[in-house]
Amino acid sequence: MSESILQARGLKVYYRTKRGPIHAVDEVDFDLRIGETLGVVGETGCGKSTLAKSILGLLPPGSQVDGSLKFRDRDLLKLRPTEFRKLRGEEIALIFQDPMTRLDPLMTIRNHFLETIHVHRPEISKAEAIELAAEALRSMGIPRSRLNHYPHEFSGGMRQRIMIAMAIVLKPKLLIADEPTTALDVIVEAQILEILRDLKRSYGMSLLLITHNLGIVAEVCDRAAVMYAGKFAELGSVNDVFSKPIHPYTQGLLASTIHLETNKLRSIDGLPPSLLSPPSGCRFHPRCPHAKDICVNEEPAMIEYRPGTLAACHFGRDFA
Amino acid sequence: MTDTPVLEVENLKVHFPVKSSAIQAMGQALFRGLKGADASAQDERLIHPRVHAVDGVTFQLGHAEILGLVGESGCGKTTTGRTVLRLLKPTSGRIVFEGEDITNRKEDKLRPLRPRMQIVFQDPHAALNPGMTIGQAIMDALLLHETRDREEAKASTLRAMDEVGLTPAEDLFSKYPADLSGGQKQRAVLARAIILRPSLVVADEPVAMLDMSIRAKILELLLELRDRYGIAYLFITHDLATAKFVCDRIAIMYLGRIVEMGPTELIFRDPKHPYTRALLGAIPVPQPGRVRERTLPRGEVPDAIFPPAGCRFHPRCPVVLPTCGWEGHDFVDYLDQRRLNPKQAHADEAVIGEAEGWRADLFEARRRLRNQDPGAVASYVRSILPQAPEAMTKAVIGVDVVDDEVVVRFRNPDALLPKEVAGRIVECLLY
């Protein structure tokens, strides 16, 4: 097992609401290895974006975090906001879903870059910073002449390339991409995924990719974590998770995904639970075709059923 | 099965004027004055910019048939869907619904037809009035079009709710949209669409907002309702996989045109249009290790205000021919592309100056020269052309000096007409 860059142990994130706490992330353990791409996949409201926000220190005020989250020997949960700001953008960078709302419409692309670089590395001169920016843009297929343009002068795919160029300009160790291609068309999505794959190869960056699209995970990631109702249901190599899923939720999710080879429609009965009052025991039990009494009463632990593959299911052995 | 198609659409065009600011309008007026009588087609496009959302679309939809309109955002699929229901006014063309020409029919004359033509929107949260109970929302259509008798209407509503799986219907009747899940809301929208027994439903991305694990159920329901009531669907989607599953026939749209249309099975087994191939190749497949080598089209969908000449896909097409519609824009783009290579950028700038100085005028790209030697610029342009994509190089018919301008001229494209190829319609010069 290679060294990990990010380590979560018993990570919990609660949002306080008038109707009680929402357990958005509940006791999650994982390691992100150096140079690895981990895909976190799940449906709306499963907690995957909250997980990303907790790593970036971008949780809304009033949220409560517990457990430990280590990034290269530093516990992110204990960092003060100023320290987090220093880290974010330099060592940990992120790519959002909607590039339009993340770029300032009144600032040229050049100024976006200059600001980012200046905040983190004030010692870099303006001329050098522009060179860095031009190089990052060039690696994304955008000529330097466009540094003087404003965000609205770019297409959606170009804006996402600019976001990626800004994210990597300071050569971060960890890149977090939250649904990076959801707002894009399929051909542009494929172009961006190609870029992410290249980045991993050329910079050896670790990548945490949050998505609801199983196809993207299969094509870009080394390992996949399947999230359900705030918890990891399964974690393992992409090959294992996709070809021999252990958790019934993973099985159901894979079977209900409509892709070009689909010849029978399947779905999972029922609905994802409310995180205000999650079901007892295994959170998937009300929708699980294999549920027994133990699933209602006892919460399953993440157990390594195959080397490198963990699942939280009482009957994992039967499916492994 | 009846003989008349439910819907016939012939050469439909829907153009939207581009709103311009006062200053732009003044500029346009000035430009018009300067150009006077000798305004070219290109000038005309600058004076009256229009979004060519749908630009000559022809198809038919038979009884109980499902036709998929598939394409990327901005291809005109939604505009087509709304226009065939006459929620938008067509610019030209013909729309015939159940044998009646409704192209220019007035709203009050359309109303009697409305029960037979319905729409299901993408976002069920936005499609339901939050202040109306589910029952009221569905029943409203009945009370408006069919009956005044509330008891009777309620009974029909409960039946419709049952049919779409909104059970227990009695309970859900008095619930508000906020109490329902996304899937349930989409069922309610479907119930409202089918309660008047339409012959045509335009389903605009009906499952795009729903989570994977519940999509299949809604799609099954759509198919079931088609079988039971003989509803024809115009199924609008950007998701080829969903279209493959649901549609009998598929029409692939690109920038306002249908580029390929035919039986679903045929198109997926053996796509003919390079754009269809590109779309199919770009879909991520949830099977690790099956990463296919793909040649992705360059760039993105161009602006529909100035769609490319000839075949609209030509600037991105991996198998483009010299006859496909190369034009001045493509030359300017090529110069821009060269700037990604610092060496080329430097060399280009030294001789011909910045790419911004070039002006595309339909099949020509021209640049006014101030201090440079026109002969030297022209011969430099000739020297870099062989490095451009081969089809583009071959489409150049001359690089000339005219007065103080250098002009790169392209040949006119060959006429592009939809052809029948191997059991489907394709609009591509390869065939």
Side-chain angles (χ1 to χ4, degrees):
Chain A
M1 183 134 156
S2 53
E3 221 185 316
S4 64
I5 186 161
L6 186 73
Q7 197 183 58
R9 291 290 176 267
L11 181 66
K12 286 185 190 183
V13 184
Y14 288 8
Y15 293 126
R16 295 193 173 286
T17 70
K18 279 187 193 124
R19 293 190 287 167
I22 289 180
H23 308 242
V25 175
D26 204 5
E27 298 264 5
V28 162
D29 296 343
F30 70 94
D31 282 86
L32 180 63
R33 300 165 195 162
I34 290 175
E36 175 189 52
T37 301
L38 174 66
V40 178
V41 62
E43 297 177 274
T44 316
C46 72
K48 55 189 193 299
S49 286
T50 301
L51 180 67
K53 285 181 191 149
S54 65
I55 300 166
L56 291 156
L58 292 176
L59 290 168
S63 38
Q64 198 180 327
V65 195
D66 221 345
S68 87
L69 185 60
K70 280 212 174 83
F71 171 73
R72 308 172 82 207
D73 302 330
R74 266 175 291 179
D75 194 336
L76 294 180
L77 304 185
K78 299 208 168 72
L79 286 186
R80 277 172 304 170
T82 49
E83 293 172 313
F84 231 131
R85 251 194 311 271
K86 184 85 192 94
L87 203 65
R88 201 168 43 218
E90 183 165 5
E91 289 185 68
I92 306 179
L94 79 158
I95 309 169
F96 290 104
Q97 172 171 351
D98 181 2
M100 192 53 191
T101 58
R102 303 293 170 171
L103 292 167
D104 185 333
L106 298 179
M107 258 163 85
T108 60
I109 298 309
R110 178 210 307 271
N111 287 341
H112 277 92
F113 275 100
L114 288 181
E115 187 182 80
T116 307
I117 297 171
H118 182 74
V119 165
H120 291 286
R121 305 265 187 82
E123 74 279 7
I124 294 181
S125 74
K126 202 169 162 183
E128 279 174 289
I130 289 172
E131 281 313 305
L132 282 178
E135 179 51 35
L137 277 183
R138 201 188 60 79
S139 71
M140 293 296 130
I142 298 172
R144 70 182 299 150
S145 54
R146 304 213 60 180
L147 270 171
N148 291 327
H149 289 205
Y150 287 88
H152 77 266
E153 296 175 90
F154 295 89
S155 62
M158 295 261 251
R159 278 182 220 135
Q160 194 57 295
R161 284 165 202 247
I162 292 168
M163 290 295 298
I164 298 175
M166 280 171 56
I168 61 159
V169 68
L170 294 172
K171 306 252 181 322
K173 302 281 185 295
L174 169 61
L175 189 60
I176 294 179
D178 189 357
E179 303 271 9
T181 60
T182 306
L184 305 174
D185 278 318
V186 56
I187 291 175
V188 182
E189 170 179 271
Q191 293 167 349
I192 298 287
L193 294 180
E194 206 122 282
I195 286 173
L196 290 178
R197 268 196 296 262
D198 284 348
L199 277 182
K200 195 169 72 170
R201 243 175 281 148
S202 46
Y203 294 101
M205 223 175 264
S206 307
L207 177 63
L208 188 77
L209 182 70
I210 313 271
T211 180
H212 68 278
N213 188 328
L214 288 165
I216 292 178
V217 176
E219 291 203 359
V220 183
C221 300
D222 305 310
R223 287 196 303 152
V226 180
M227 242 183 135
Y228 184 77
K231 287 182 167 295
F232 277 11
E234 187 157 356
L235 174 66
S237 79
V238 162
N239 268 321
D240 273 8
V241 171
F242 280 73
S243 59
K244 297 173 274 181
I246 294 175
H247 200 287
Y249 176 63
T250 314
Q251 296 171 7
L253 193 62
L254 279 165
S256 63
T257 298
I258 301 163
H259 56 93
L260 287 178
E261 319 278 302
T262 306
N263 42 37
K264 190 169 174 5
L265 288 178
R266 289 195 185 80
S267 52
I268 305 175
D269 284 329
L271 294 169
S274 150
L275 295 174
L276 272 168
S277 52
S280 63
C282 171
R283 293 187 176 182
F284 187 58
H285 85 254
R287 304 176 74 190
C288 182
H290 311 287
K292 307 248 169 22
D293 286 349
I294 183 173
C295 306
V296 183
N297 302 319
E298 254 175 70
E299 200 178 312
M302 280 291 264
I303 291 172
E304 189 164 3
Y305 285 105
R306 273 197 306 267
T309 306
L310 294 88
C313 174
H314 291 299
F315 300 96
R317 202 155 307 283
D318 301 348
F319 302 117
Chain B
M1 185 116 182
T2 44
D3 286 344
T4 2
V6 176
L7 182 69
E8 288 172 82
V9 174
E10 220 181 279
N11 203 16
L12 180 70
K13 292 189 184 181
V14 189
H15 295 176
F16 298 111
V18 179
K19 285 197 187 112
S20 20
S21 67
I23 291 174
Q24 282 170 327
M26 269 158 62
Q28 283 158 3
L30 194 67
F31 188 64
R32 195 179 315 139
L34 280 174
K35 285 283 171 179
D38 49 54
S40 67
Q42 177 76 8
D43 297 335
E44 194 48 43
R45 291 202 287 182
L46 288 172
I47 295 166
H48 293 292
R50 291 146 83 75
V51 177
H52 300 66
V54 178
D55 212 13
V57 157
T58 300
F59 64 87
Q60 292 196 347
L61 185 60
H63 173 78
E65 190 187 23
I66 305 184
L67 173 68
L69 278 187
V70 186
E72 297 177 275
S73 41
C75 73
K77 53 190 192 299
T78 293
T79 303
T80 305
R82 295 197 178 180
T83 310
V84 301
L85 295 181
R86 283 295 324 278
L87 298 174
L88 290 171
K89 233 180 137 40
T91 305
S92 67
R94 223 161 79 92
I95 307 163
V96 179
F97 174 70
E98 292 187 322
E100 293 185 56
D101 189 327
I102 58 164
T103 319
N104 294 307
R105 194 169 282 205
K106 291 215 165 57
E107 184 51 43
D108 57 334
K109 296 274 173 353
L110 278 171
R111 204 159 292 136
L113 295 176
R114 292 262 176 242
R116 311 210 25 89
M117 40 156 90
Q118 292 287 321
I119 187 163
V120 172
F121 294 103
Q122 171 173 2
D123 185 355
H125 316 288
L128 292 168
N129 183 342
M132 245 167 143
T133 64
I134 298 300
Q136 278 174 329
I138 301 170
M139 196 163 64
D140 223 31
L142 269 183
L143 293 174
L144 204 65
H145 286 290
E146 256 179 22
T147 173
R148 293 272 163 106
D149 183 346
R150 290 192 84 84
E151 282 308 305
E152 192 190 317
K154 183 168 178 180
S156 309
T157 303
L158 289 173
R159 263 201 307 281
M161 288 173 72
D162 246 347
E163 276 163 353
V164 299
L166 273 179
T167 46
E170 253 334 314
D171 287 356
L172 291 170
F173 188 90
S174 48
K175 288 271 196 295
Y176 286 91
D179 304 324
L180 268 58
S181 70
Q184 283 178 311
K185 275 184 238 180
Q186 198 59 301
R187 286 174 195 270
V189 172
L190 271 171
R192 187 173 61 181
I194 61 142
I195 195 163
L196 295 166
R197 300 285 172 259
S199 56
L200 168 67
V201 170
V202 172
D204 192 354
E205 303 267 15
V207 297
M209 299 276 287
L210 305 176
D211 267 323
M212 267 307 166
S213 68
I214 48 176
R215 275 187 197 182
K217 285 250 163 79
I218 299 290
L219 292 176
E220 263 164 4
L221 178 59
L222 281 168
L223 292 172
E224 217 181 285
L225 294 171
R226 183 266 298 260
D227 293 343
R228 199 178 310 153
Y229 300 116
I231 302 168
Y233 292 108
L234 192 61
F235 190 88
I236 298 171
T237 182
H238 69 281
D239 181 6
L240 276 163
T242 307
K244 183 185 178 196
F245 208 87
V246 180
C247 302
D248 303 313
R249 282 191 307 138
I250 281 189
I252 308 279
M253 284 189 78
Y254 186 76
L255 264 182
R257 306 272 309 175
I258 292 176
V259 296
E260 183 163 2
M261 174 163 64
T264 306
E265 192 261 342
L266 215 57
I267 287 184
F268 279 88
R269 195 183 51 202
D270 180 23
K272 292 290 186 198
H273 197 286
Y275 178 63
T276 315
R277 290 188 183 157
L279 267 184
L280 279 168
I283 300 174
V285 182
Q287 285 161 359
R290 254 202 46 159
V291 178
R292 293 154 295 168
E293 268 314 307
R294 42 168 88 121
T295 38
L296 288 173
R298 300 177 289 272
E300 289 169 65
V301 183
D303 196 338
I305 299 178
F306 303 109
C311 170
R312 294 173 179 203
F313 188 54
H314 84 260
R316 308 173 70 201
C317 182
V319 288
V320 61
L321 304 170
T323 48
C324 286
W326 293 100
E327 56 187 323
H329 264 300
D330 297 310
F331 179 73
V332 178
D333 281 347
Y334 166 61
L335 288 181
D336 209 35
Q337 206 54 40
R338 284 173 62 88
R339 294 205 242 174
L340 283 175
N341 179 327
K343 241 195 220 147
Q344 288 181 344
H346 204 74
D348 288 3
E349 209 154 305
V351 187
I352 57 173
E354 293 189 349
E356 275 88 15
W358 288 87
R359 198 159 54 81
D361 191 356
L362 221 58
F363 296 109
E364 291 174 356
R366 31 177 86 232
R367 181 180 169 86
R368 179 154 295 158
L369 299 172
R370 294 216 170 72
N371 307 314
Q372 299 108 310
D373 166 20
V377 173
S379 70
Y380 182 79
V381 168
R382 279 184 216 113
S383 77
I384 60 168
L385 271 173
Q387 296 156 33
E390 198 191 338
M392 176 173 150
T393 312
K394 284 190 174 160
V396 175
I397 49 173
V399 181
D400 310 304
V401 179
V402 183
D403 301 328
D404 59 345
E405 285 187 322
V406 174
V407 185
V408 181
R409 271 187 244 277
F410 288 90
R411 55 161 294 158
N412 283 336
D414 284 355
L416 185 63
L417 291 166
K419 279 185 230 78
E420 189 162 341
V421 181
R424 92 284 311 265
I425 306 281
V426 185
E427 193 175 75
C428 177
L429 288 179
L430 283 178
Y431 305 99

